[in-house]
Amino acid sequence: MSEPVSLPRDAALLARSPLPGWAQSLLLFLWRQLWAGLFAGIILISLIVTSVLWQEEWALARYDFLVGLAVLTQVLLLAFRLETWEEAKVIALFHLTGTVMEWFKVSAGSWAYPEPGLLKLFEVPLFTGFMYASVGSYIARAFRLFGAVFAPYPPFWASVLLAVAIYVNFFAHHWLPDIRLALFAATLLLFARTRMWFRLRAWHWIPFPLAALGIAFALWIAENIGTLSGTWIYHRQAEFELVSLSKMGSWYLLFFVSFTTVTLVMRGQLRRDAVRPEKGA
């Protein structure tokens, strides 16, 4: 692909280095991934550190500390303009939908939060909404940091309908037949032609379903950090047992719910027609 006329600031700084082009692109990709996942990274690190350091006899429960830390992190990100108010709206939506799902799944016995805490509602600590919100934060920040463009994007109503069907199935499969195989097929049919364009030193693209699978794998790793730290446990999961790979399929589907939730607030990156961003999309 052709080199862009003007480079983003981080790419321009790297361009002055003696590194070959492929190394510059790799470093840019890794840096922007980490920066996009800032909120998620803070949450994950806090799970690990507190699981090692926290003592049962301390006056403040670990879950309650995590709630306070998540709120403080959100405030600081906004105060230092590391997060936009538009991204904060996305986080609020995720906090609501994620907390509702947590209430239901915990009551259904899918997983549990074994530690005590004052800031728990229906056996779910209130910091869990921020864990879902961190996914939305990552997607929204990645839009901005990578200059992402999604094209050709299917009719928006169709993507919303798919997201609603996926979200409902996470609840309904406890009583009705699980339709996740049909939902997997629907994601491929609906987004088969969609490319995710992203900018490093030049523009690159990846099939959108493949990008979703990569993010699902990252979320599966994060989920293992959560269970290995003892923050939550799955039904019949043994100590130090990895989360089943089948859960990655759940995260793959949940990604489409997450992505569509972000686009309810931030829709400027979606294009109905096939485009090449380096030519002025």
Side-chain angles (χ1 to χ4, degrees):
M1 300 182 77
S2 61
E3 200 73 17
V5 175
S6 61
L7 293 172
R9 185 169 61 178
D10 54 0
L13 288 174
L14 268 177
R16 301 171 189 168
S17 73
L19 294 172
W22 66 267
Q24 292 181 31
S25 294
L26 179 60
L27 285 175
L28 278 173
F29 180 78
L30 294 175
W31 158 248
R32 290 181 188 171
Q33 287 286 359
L34 290 171
W35 195 234
L38 176 63
F39 192 14
I42 291 172
I43 296 294
L44 282 179
I45 291 172
S46 68
L47 296 184
I48 296 170
V49 172
T50 57
S51 70
V52 173
L53 298 180
W54 219 261
Q55 303 297 317
E56 291 184 7
E57 63 270 17
W58 287 1
L60 182 65
R62 175 177 173 239
Y63 285 168
D64 294 341
F65 171 80
L66 290 171
V67 175
L69 179 65
V71 172
L72 178 61
T73 299
Q74 180 64 75
V75 170
L76 290 176
L77 289 177
L78 286 170
F80 287 97
R81 298 182 180 179
L82 298 176
E83 183 176 271
T84 67
W85 280 105
E86 194 171 43
E87 290 161 0
K89 293 177 185 177
V90 169
I91 286 175
L93 284 173
F94 272 87
H95 201 289
L96 176 62
T97 56
T99 299
V100 170
M101 182 179 291
E102 284 288 327
W103 287 339
F104 178 81
K105 287 294 187 179
V106 169
S107 68
S110 299
W111 57 79
Y113 293 90
E115 298 180 28
L118 293 176
L119 300 178
K120 291 178 77 173
L121 190 60
F122 304 121
E123 298 302 317
V124 175
L126 297 183
F127 75 84
T128 59
F130 287 101
M131 293 192 299
Y132 288 89
S134 68
V135 178
S137 173
Y138 163 78
I139 295 172
R141 287 169 61 81
F143 275 16
R144 173 164 51 88
L145 293 169
F146 285 96
V149 175
F150 302 86
Y153 199 80
F156 188 68
W157 65 264
S159 66
V160 172
L161 186 62
L162 173 64
V164 170
I166 292 171
Y167 189 72
V168 169
N169 188 65
F170 275 112
F171 296 87
H173 79 84
H174 288 273
W175 305 289
L176 302 174
D178 190 347
I179 62 169
R180 71 179 57 203
L181 291 181
L183 293 171
F184 285 136
T187 65
L188 296 177
L189 289 172
L190 197 60
F191 294 99
R193 296 178 56 242
T194 304
R195 295 178 175 182
M196 185 185 82
W197 292 87
F198 59 98
R199 188 182 185 187
L200 297 173
R201 297 173 61 253
W203 284 97
H204 305 269
W205 66 270
I206 183 173
F208 187 50
L210 185 59
L213 185 62
I215 292 173
F217 178 68
L219 291 171
W220 177 79
I221 293 175
E223 191 169 29
N224 277 286
I225 292 174
T227 57
L228 291 174
S229 68
T231 307
W232 65 88
I233 52 174
Y234 279 100
H235 181 57
R236 295 180 180 176
Q237 183 183 14
E239 189 176 8
F240 301 118
E241 180 184 358
L242 291 179
V243 175
S244 169
L245 276 172
S246 65
K247 296 295 182 183
M248 194 165 71
S250 298
W251 280 114
Y252 171 83
L253 291 176
L254 194 60
F255 167 79
F256 287 93
V257 178
S258 304
F259 184 87
T260 304
T261 302
V262 171
T263 58
L264 292 175
V265 178
M266 305 169 64
R267 209 178 304 177
Q269 287 79 7
L270 311 183
R271 305 285 192 275
R272 287 287 285 119
D273 300 319
V275 295
R276 296 183 68 87
E278 77 275 22
K279 293 187 176 180

